[in-house]
Amino acid sequence: EARWVVERNPVLGIVAGEEAHVYPIHLIEPHQIVNDTVGGVPVAVTYDPLTAVPRTFRREVEGKVLTFGVSGLLHNSSFLLYDRETESLWLQFSGRAIAGPMAGRKLERLPVRQELLGTWLSHHPLSRVLSRPRPTKIDYRYSPYTRYLTQDKIIFPVKARDDRFHPKELVLGVVVDGTARAYLGSIVTKAGGKVEDEVRGVKIALAYSTDDGIFSYAVAEGADVTEAYWFAWKAFHPDTEIWNDPAGSSGTE
């Protein structure tokens, strides 16, 4: 019944309890945050159009349910959320509060998948889909970030960078016991589009679709997984390894 999204649209999908919810990226992108409850769990579903990072967090901290908004502030080009209850600032990339009464606390991350709607519904056919805000002055058919996606410049300051690759190249980043490894879309494509790897004993299997710009992956327990633009992953993980690095190094900073 959700006619505002079609099978080829990329979406964020989450499952909690007996419920599955879908958030079309073209709807969430202009707003960046959806405060929702899925399977009885209060969640904040977020997408950062500057870094291409999807994150879902449990909105409950120390027994208090928080409601999040966009602060308009950035750190390492990643946007900062604020909670309306305490006005603390939270970094979307890590879920950690960096200012305010909640400083030092960290939101619990929940699994989120970025897939085409058709792919997601093949596994979760009874998913509920985020509706369009009404009334609205936003034309959701067009992304305001189309030009930004192709630009090779980084608009806001970051702590580390590696200019051997396009800054907006899509990356699947994995962290296991402090070891960070990046799987760049272009390198995975040159290797045949599929990778089987291991990071500190944790097995990684992934594939990258150049047509859709989407990673699919299966990662064993114990790994932290992030989808992001290359520059953002490098900014937060300056010592990252690069899978099948053509230069055999972690690049420049």
Side-chain angles (χ1 to χ4, degrees):
E1 298 173 358
R3 298 182 180 87
W4 51 91
V5 60
V6 298
E7 288 193 351
R8 296 294 299 173
N9 284 150
V11 300
L12 303 182
I14 66 172
V15 177
E18 300 297 321
E19 289 188 30
H21 284 197
V22 164
Y23 308 86
I25 289 180
H26 72 282
L27 292 188
I28 195 175
E29 184 182 64
H31 305 283
Q32 300 176 235
I33 302 172
V34 177
N35 293 287
D36 199 2
T37 300
V38 185
V41 179
V43 300
V45 182
T46 71
Y47 179 78
D48 188 346
L50 293 181
T51 62
V53 173
R55 288 277 196 258
T56 297
F57 303 104
R58 181 186 290 267
R59 290 192 286 120
E60 188 174 5
V61 179
E62 298 177 351
K64 179 183 291 187
V65 176
L66 304 177
T67 307
F68 289 97
V70 180
S71 70
L73 303 173
L74 302 172
H75 172 72
N76 245 0
S77 197
S78 177
F79 85 88
L80 299 180
L81 301 76
Y82 77 97
D83 69 82
R84 295 185 174 95
E85 288 70 24
T86 73
E87 296 189 348
S88 299
L89 294 173
W90 306 76
L91 184 59
Q92 189 260 0
F93 194 95
S94 66
R96 183 176 296 278
I98 62 174
M102 290 283 188
R105 294 168 177 82
K106 193 171 184 180
L107 299 171
E108 178 187 348
R109 274 185 59 184
L110 300 174
V112 58
R113 287 282 181 163
Q114 184 171 194
E115 298 180 345
L116 298 182
L117 177 65
T119 303
W120 177 263
L121 291 181
S122 68
H123 302 292
H124 306 284
L126 299 181
S127 296
R128 302 185 67 184
V129 181
L130 178 69
S131 62
R132 292 170 294 182
R134 299 175 184 274
T136 179
K137 296 180 179 179
I138 297 175
D139 189 341
Y140 291 103
R141 295 175 300 172
Y142 305 102
S143 170
Y145 298 94
T146 301
R147 179 178 296 181
Y148 171 80
L149 171 62
T150 59
Q151 290 175 336
D152 61 2
K153 67 178 180 179
I154 301 173
I155 298 177
F156 301 102
V158 293
K159 290 185 176 180
R161 57 190 296 168
D162 182 342
D163 295 328
R164 293 178 298 151
F165 309 102
H166 194 289
K168 312 298 173 45
E169 177 165 355
L170 291 172
V171 169
L172 187 76
V174 176
V175 178
V176 180
D177 293 334
T179 296
R181 185 170 299 170
Y183 301 85
L184 281 79
S186 62
I187 299 178
V188 172
T189 299
K190 289 179 181 178
K194 295 182 179 181
V195 172
E196 291 188 1
D197 195 22
E198 192 171 294
V199 180
R200 286 186 172 270
V202 175
K203 293 184 177 180
I204 313 291
L206 62 91
Y208 178 69
S209 169
T210 56
D211 293 335
D212 306 318
I214 291 178
F215 282 94
S216 57
Y217 57 90
V219 178
E221 188 175 348
D224 178 78
V225 180
T226 297
E227 296 170 85
Y229 289 140
W230 163 240
F231 86 88
W233 177 258
K234 178 67 177 181
F236 283 96
H237 298 283
D239 297 323
T240 186
E241 301 172 356
I242 299 176
W243 178 81
N244 214 15
D245 187 353
S249 69
S250 59
T252 59
E253 296 184 14

